[in-house]
Amino acid sequence: MSFSFNDENSLKIEHLAKRYPHKKALLLPLLWLAQKQEGFISDEAMTRISEISQMPFMHIYSVATFYTMFKLQKKSKRVVEVCRTLSCELSGSEAIKKHLLENHSDTYEIVEVECMGACGGAPMCTLEGKYIENVTPQMLDEVLNAN
Ligand code: FES
């Protein structure tokens, strides 16, 4: 089975390609768009990204597996990410993770990740990639039970 970007994403890629000095610089946006389109990054998508960016498949794979925000398998549950890096840990991320595991792991996959670059909003979580800052257990209950 092959992968192709849909029309909307193809237009975005065309637009982005004009902004970068060479095709290799498109790698991260291409991975994002592939994940957004399919919910994860398949081998077929990485093959297509390899063709577009003119880089070897293994380079695409190494980048996709380095960053925790890229998913290489389709998830059966929706994903809540909890940052475990210093600012978030000092702000209570361990208690947030414990609360999530005890109360929401039946309907959500709880994943620990490294700094998401929003330390000012610590403790940080994401729900399907959307940032939730200064989270509290009560706030998570409201958000997750409403979704
Ligand atoms: S340490 Fe959690 S977002 Fe930076």
Side-chain angles (χ1 to χ4, degrees):
M1 186 183 253
S2 66
F3 171 89
S4 9
F5 284 102
N6 61 28
D7 291 345
E8 180 185 350
N9 286 336
S10 294
L11 279 174
K12 286 180 183 172
I13 292 165
E14 199 175 299
H15 177 73
L16 285 167
K18 295 174 187 166
R19 294 175 44 194
Y20 293 109
H22 49 78
K23 293 187 176 196
K24 290 179 181 177
L26 281 171
L27 177 53
L28 290 177
L30 290 172
L31 288 168
W32 272 120
L33 289 172
Q35 181 167 279
K36 193 171 178 188
Q37 184 173 310
E38 292 198 312
F40 73 110
I41 302 169
S42 64
D43 286 353
E44 292 80 12
M46 286 189 278
T47 299
R48 181 68 188 123
I49 291 169
S50 170
E51 293 164 359
I52 294 171
S53 65
Q54 299 173 348
M55 288 188 284
F57 178 92
M58 275 314 293
H59 185 79
I60 310 303
Y61 180 81
S62 67
V63 171
T65 54
F66 177 80
Y67 293 105
T68 56
M69 68 272 219
F70 294 128
K71 313 297 178 214
L72 272 59
Q73 293 181 330
K74 199 169 190 83
K75 302 289 183 187
S76 57
K77 294 180 186 175
R78 296 197 305 155
V79 176
V80 177
E81 295 175 325
V82 185
C83 176
R84 65 178 174 200
T85 311
L86 189 59
S87 295
C88 288
E89 185 171 354
L90 292 174
S91 301
S93 65
E94 187 62 34
I96 297 293
K97 182 185 82 177
K98 185 172 184 272
H99 179 78
L100 284 167
L101 289 171
E102 289 174 356
N103 298 285
H104 298 283
S105 62
D106 55 333
T107 48
Y108 291 92
E109 180 173 340
I110 315 301
V111 179
E112 282 188 297
V113 297
E114 301 302 333
C115 181
M116 295 186 270
C119 316
M124 273 288 304
C125 287
T126 64
L127 171 58
E128 295 292 294
K130 291 186 181 146
Y131 281 24
I132 308 170
E133 298 183 6
N134 303 306
V135 294
T136 63
Q138 296 74 23
M139 181 192 298
L140 282 172
D141 289 346
E142 288 173 24
V143 170
L144 298 182
N145 292 334
N147 279 285

